[in-house]
Amino acid sequence: MIEPDLIRDEELEKLLIEIAELYGYDFTQYSKASIKRRVNRICVIDKFTSFAELRYQLIKQPSYLQRFIEEITVNVTEMFRDPSFYKALRDDVFPQLDTYPIIRIWLAGCSTGEEVYSLAIIAKETNLIQKTLFYATDINPSVLEKARDGIFPISQMKLYSENYINSGGLKNFSDYYTANYDFARFNDDLKQKMIFSTHNLVSDRSFNEFQLIICRNVLIYFDKDLQAKVFKLFDDSLEHLGFLGLGSKETLRFSQLDKHYHQISTEKIWRKQKEDKRLIKSNNF
């Protein structure tokens, strides 16, 4: 086992640079403490006796990269996680989205898909699902496959049902899935407007204009510079008066974008403000 404090920062930095150059996955601006913990975990699980052995495997065996990505990226999620957040979406955001002829929602860092199915259920119950497109993206292709399937452990349904009720759910949660032995398969009518795609928040650009962007519990693993870069990406991707939802430990406060957004409730949901036309006019002189 390799102790975290025995992985030198310069070794780790060199490896992350090599991965970015060889494969295009840039983890150099992720939180070093988080990366170091996860690299140590990989070494323990895969029984590497040294950091050099892990590096050799990554550089010489490209097929091992997917395994590395799965461990480095965080895939902890659940349906209607933090129910009060979803209740705020239901009560304060979705009624505003109803004013648009087409609604585009981007769930960045969607992991195995529990959150995008939660959003689809709210859209269905607010009669908006037919005019809503859900773009669910993640850096990890393997979790996207699970998200596309919409199949989750039946053992989680009790928790998910409680979350759903506490978020203001209107029906029996079991109406949205079919139980099959140890798994629950969510209904196809929830999936019909979902688009799943790989997207790297570090290096990829904006790909559409959205009325709602949700990225929860991803930015806490990025350093401050990378957070600022991702916030800029979201700002470029968000329509005026659009909404941005973040995780409970994430905030727009103290960022360069803070003055252009208004927090709409006690939840971590902000609304992008209209540009001041007078300011635009004065800048044209």
Side-chain angles (χ1 to χ4, degrees), residues 194-209:
M194 295 181 185
I195 301 167
F196 295 94
S197 178
T198 55
H199 184 275
N200 189 336
L201 289 172
V202 177
S203 59
D204 292 342
R205 297 180 180 180
S206 172
F207 58 93
N208 215 321
E209 189 172 55

Side-chain angles (χ1 to χ4, degrees), residues 13-282:
E13 185 69 20
K14 182 180 178 181
L15 176 64
L16 297 180
I17 291 172
E18 288 178 316
I19 291 171
E21 291 176 347
L22 284 171
Y23 304 117
Y25 288 94
D26 189 352
F27 298 105
T28 58
Q29 291 181 285
Y30 278 49
S31 163
K32 292 300 183 291
S34 176
I35 285 279
K36 190 176 287 190
R37 285 195 302 271
R38 292 182 173 277
V39 167
N40 183 69
R41 184 173 183 271
I42 294 172
C43 291
V44 172
I45 294 174
D46 291 354
K47 299 179 180 179
F48 294 124
T49 59
S50 69
F51 183 76
E53 189 177 345
L54 168 66
R55 178 179 175 274
Y56 179 87
Q57 187 77 358
L58 275 167
I59 302 304
K60 300 299 182 181
Q61 300 292 335
S63 60
Y64 186 73
L65 176 68
Q66 189 57 47
R67 165 80 179 134
F68 181 81
I69 292 173
E70 289 174 0
E71 288 297 327
I72 290 297
T73 55
V74 181
N75 298 305
V76 178
T77 185
E78 64 188 46
M79 294 191 73
F80 296 96
R81 184 181 185 181
D82 302 322
S84 59
F85 175 85
Y86 284 91
K87 191 170 193 315
L89 288 179
R90 180 189 292 270
D91 295 343
D92 302 328
V93 175
F94 273 73
Q96 299 296 324
L97 297 182
D98 193 18
T99 63
Y100 295 96
I102 298 176
I103 303 165
R104 294 182 179 88
I105 297 175
W106 179 16
L107 184 59
C110 71
S111 186
T112 46
E114 284 87 339
E115 288 185 280
V116 71
Y117 286 91
S118 303
L119 293 172
I121 288 172
I122 294 177
K124 187 173 179 65
E125 293 186 357
T126 53
N127 299 314
L128 298 181
I129 196 166
Q130 290 305 318
K131 65 173 182 176
T132 302
L133 292 173
F134 303 91
Y135 295 80
T137 67
D138 201 279
I139 192 176
N140 187 343
S142 66
V143 298
L144 286 173
E145 288 301 317
K146 296 178 182 178
R148 284 190 187 96
D149 291 339
I151 300 174
F152 307 112
I154 196 71
S155 59
Q156 296 296 312
M157 292 306 110
K158 183 176 183 297
L159 170 63
Y160 294 174
S161 178
E162 291 173 355
N163 287 350
Y164 165 74
I165 292 169
N166 291 331
S167 72
L170 302 178
K171 298 183 178 181
N172 291 322
F173 186 64
S174 59
D175 291 346
Y176 292 109
Y177 65 84
T178 302
N180 186 8
Y181 297 101
D182 294 333
F183 295 94
R185 182 184 182 91
F186 278 75
N187 299 342
D188 288 342
D189 64 341
L190 297 176
K191 305 178 189 179
Q192 61 183 348
K193 293 300 185 71
M194 295 181 185
I195 301 167
F196 295 94
S197 178
T198 55
H199 184 275
N200 189 336
L201 289 172
V202 177
S203 59
D204 292 342
R205 297 180 180 180
S206 172
F207 58 93
N208 215 321
E209 189 172 55
F210 300 93
Q211 287 78 44
L212 171 62
I213 297 175
I214 294 178
C215 182
R216 307 188 71 225
N217 307 307
V218 175
L219 297 174
I220 54 174
Y221 299 102
F222 296 171
D223 68 18
K224 293 298 182 183
D225 289 341
L226 184 52
Q227 287 181 13
K229 182 178 180 180
V230 174
F231 281 146
K232 179 64 166 56
L233 171 67
F234 290 159
D235 187 54
D236 290 342
S237 306
L238 198 64
E239 180 172 298
H240 292 305
L241 299 180
F243 297 88
L244 175 65
L246 302 177
S248 60
K249 296 180 180 179
E250 299 163 335
T251 184
L252 271 183
R253 290 181 180 177
F254 316 114
S255 74
Q256 293 183 346
L257 296 180
D258 183 30
K259 61 185 177 182
H260 302 297
Y261 286 76
H262 170 68
Q263 192 168 353
I264 67 169
S265 72
T266 56
E267 297 301 320
K268 296 298 183 71
I269 303 173
W270 283 263
R271 192 171 198 185
K272 188 175 183 178
Q273 302 302 295
K274 282 185 176 180
E275 290 181 328
D276 190 329
K277 293 181 180 179
R278 291 171 300 175
L279 179 61
I280 295 173
K281 185 177 180 180
S282 65

